Amino acid sequence: MIGAHGLHEAFAMILWRASGIGAGAAGLLWAEAVAAEVLVFLTIGPRLLGRIGLAGGLALAAAAGALRWGIAAQTVALPWLAGAQALHGLSFALLHLACLGLIGETVPAHLRATALTLYGSVGLGLAGALVTLASGPLYAAFGARAFWAMAALSLAALPLAHGLRAR
């Protein structure tokens, strides 16, 4: 799910600008996503995870990501993009909080630094790099419709979240 952000990070501004969205509006859309992320990290996320659990948080992040990328695949209308950008708080920040929570709950204390290093380098870094590399050919071939592949990546995590809930 983290990797699914690669297409957005590489091509959203290009898509938006080519669609006639000015630099100021595009910058505000990007800032909105960051603000949603901060809001989830500081206030909403911890309370939400306390209520729905880590597996529920992963499932919600996957669904939010799929919705976000589905919107990005279908439209560049500003009201829809604004809604999609607000989902960044769930598609990224809630996911990150849930992953950190899972590491905290499942990894023995003496191995947590190693687990966090692997999560940061492989989970965040390698996944992001691989999807970003794939994003160039995807965007060249499909344009905005390439975001459907990112929606599919997000949805692929739902069975994993369900499996965590069943444990």
Side-chain angles (χ1 to χ4, degrees):
M1 289 187 294
I2 290 282
H5 290 78
L7 178 69
H8 181 268
E9 292 168 5
F11 290 99
M13 290 295 277
I14 293 168
L15 172 64
W16 297 343
R17 296 302 312 275
S19 300
I21 295 172
L28 286 173
L29 287 169
W30 205 267
E32 177 194 1
V34 173
E37 176 183 325
V38 171
L39 182 66
V40 170
F41 274 135
L42 292 178
T43 61
I44 297 168
R47 284 186 272 153
L48 186 57
L49 289 176
R51 188 161 214 196
I52 65 174
L54 297 173
L58 291 173
L60 180 56
L67 178 59
R68 183 179 185 199
W69 309 134
I71 292 169
Q74 289 300 114
T75 186
V76 290
L78 281 174
W80 284 99
L81 288 178
Q85 288 299 93
L87 290 171
H88 184 66
L90 298 177
S91 70
F92 175 75
L94 187 66
L95 171 64
H96 189 60
L97 287 172
C99 288
L100 293 176
L102 281 171
I103 289 170
E105 281 190 3
T106 61
V107 176
H110 70 283
L111 294 174
R112 282 194 193 126
T114 301
L116 289 168
T117 299
L118 288 171
Y119 168 68
S121 58
V122 177
L124 297 174
L126 184 60
L130 291 175
V131 175
T132 301
L133 284 172
S135 294
L138 279 170
Y139 189 80
F142 301 106
R145 292 186 322 253
F147 281 104
W148 283 117
M150 302 305 108
L153 278 177
S154 293
L155 290 174
L158 284 174
L160 298 171
H162 180 71
L164 286 171
R165 185 174 287 144
R167 289 175 33 177

